[in-house]
Amino acid sequence: MVIVLLGPPGAGKGTQCKRIAEKYKLVHLSSGDILRLHRANGTELGKKAAEYMDSGKLVPDQLIIEMMACAIESAKGNCVLDGFPRTVVQAKELDIALDAKKRKIDAIVDLVIDDSVIENRMTGRRSCPACGTVYHVETLKPKLSGICDSCGVKLVQRTDDKPEVVRQRLETYHQQTAAVTGYYADKGHTILDIDAGKSVDEVTAKMIEKLDRLSMVR
Ligand code: AMP
């Protein structure tokens, strides 16, 4: 089963994907997390991606596509995709990679939210450098201030969650990523729109309700 989660940066894709992965026993594949791991490990890909990521721009398609095709293969096609595809080129290449393995996208979810809400969310976001769990200084606090609940590691603010980078990332989203939704709609996919301005639990509940309903009509 392949689920694609779309939506702007800061819509809560990472948090929701973790929950969806747990619920449907899928592997959570976050292109951003995989890239951050490459950077932490100092790989060639990580070095190439760094400059784009820190300025809020997209990493070139050819670097991402191969990386994600390998990750999907390792997950044997049982995955929820977070942050990928982010361009129409990536979406087309994903279709080709899935077709080649006789797989398909089973559900597409789009987290819908205003830019102003996102700016507040992202600049208040703190994440665990060890496990990637995301918190927020106001709305999703860890039990112990500034410390990851699972790892006990000090939380950090990602360079790309700083205000000027957040604005660039939103611009990038509107210029390059928003079109992915249209690409899937044109191909006849049902897109499950979810109001991502609600609380984390409400968004999860709505997603699960819509995903369950979708699998019942199949
Ligand atoms: P994320 O954690 O998903 O917000 O991703 C962080 C950064 O990684 C983005 O701002 C991009 O620079 C890069 N990135 C992640 N996924 C992709 C993708 N599918 N295509 C291009 N760049 C990506």
Side-chain angles (χ1 to χ4, degrees):
M1 182 190 215
V2 178
I3 298 180
V4 174
L5 207 77
L6 301 173
K13 294 193 296 295
T15 306
Q16 296 301 336
C17 277
K18 278 203 172 69
R19 294 173 169 212
I20 292 302
E22 206 170 296
K23 162 89 183 162
Y24 297 103
K25 307 272 176 289
L26 300 171
V27 182
H28 172 197
L29 295 179
S30 154
S31 48
D33 284 351
I34 299 174
L35 286 170
R36 280 183 283 279
L37 199 65
H38 275 278
R39 289 182 66 174
N41 293 334
T43 67
E44 272 313 301
L45 171 57
K47 284 181 199 152
K48 283 184 190 153
E51 188 193 322
Y52 298 98
M53 294 173 77
D54 288 344
S55 61
K57 305 226 168 86
L58 292 185
V59 174
D61 287 332
Q62 66 272 24
L63 297 180
I64 297 291
I65 289 159
E66 201 186 319
M67 177 187 95
M68 291 308 287
C70 285
I72 295 167
E73 217 19 61
S74 310
K76 299 190 172 57
N78 282 313
C79 52
V80 50
L81 299 179
D82 164 7
F84 175 83
R86 247 172 160 110
T87 63
V88 172
V89 172
Q90 291 179 17
K92 286 181 178 164
E93 290 295 330
L94 172 62
D95 283 343
I96 293 169
L98 291 175
D99 268 358
K101 300 283 175 188
K102 308 235 173 320
R103 295 189 173 122
K104 62 175 177 53
I105 295 172
D106 296 279
I108 300 175
V109 177
D110 190 19
L111 296 183
V112 181
I113 186 163
D114 264 11
D115 282 9
S116 57
V117 182
I118 290 176
E119 282 193 37
N120 169 44
R121 275 193 184 179
M122 285 174 88
T123 50
R125 191 154 75 168
R126 300 293 178 271
S127 49
C128 172
C131 72
T133 302
V134 176
Y135 300 88
H136 190 277
V137 291
E138 287 161 10
T139 54
L140 199 61
K141 297 181 184 176
K143 291 189 187 91
L144 209 64
S145 171
I147 304 291
C148 177
D149 289 346
S150 348
C151 310
V153 171
K154 197 164 181 283
L155 301 178
V156 295
Q157 181 177 41
R158 279 167 38 180
T159 312
D160 57 357
D161 279 345
K162 304 229 181 317
E164 61 286 5
V165 185
V166 166
R167 276 190 287 277
Q168 173 62 54
R169 292 174 74 193
L170 285 170
E171 203 177 309
T172 304
Y173 171 78
H174 290 297
Q175 281 173 356
Q176 290 171 272
T177 308
V180 172
T181 318
Y183 167 78
Y184 284 129
D186 287 348
K187 284 200 77 184
H189 281 281
T190 303
I191 297 171
L192 307 175
D193 282 343
I194 305 283
D195 176 0
K198 298 260 166 48
S199 75
V200 173
D201 287 345
E202 282 171 309
V203 174
T204 309
K206 209 36 154 187
M207 279 176 67
I208 290 174
E209 182 194 314
K210 289 199 176 188
L211 285 167
D212 283 349
R213 212 181 302 148
L214 187 72
S215 68
M216 274 191 300
V217 293
R218 286 231 155 93

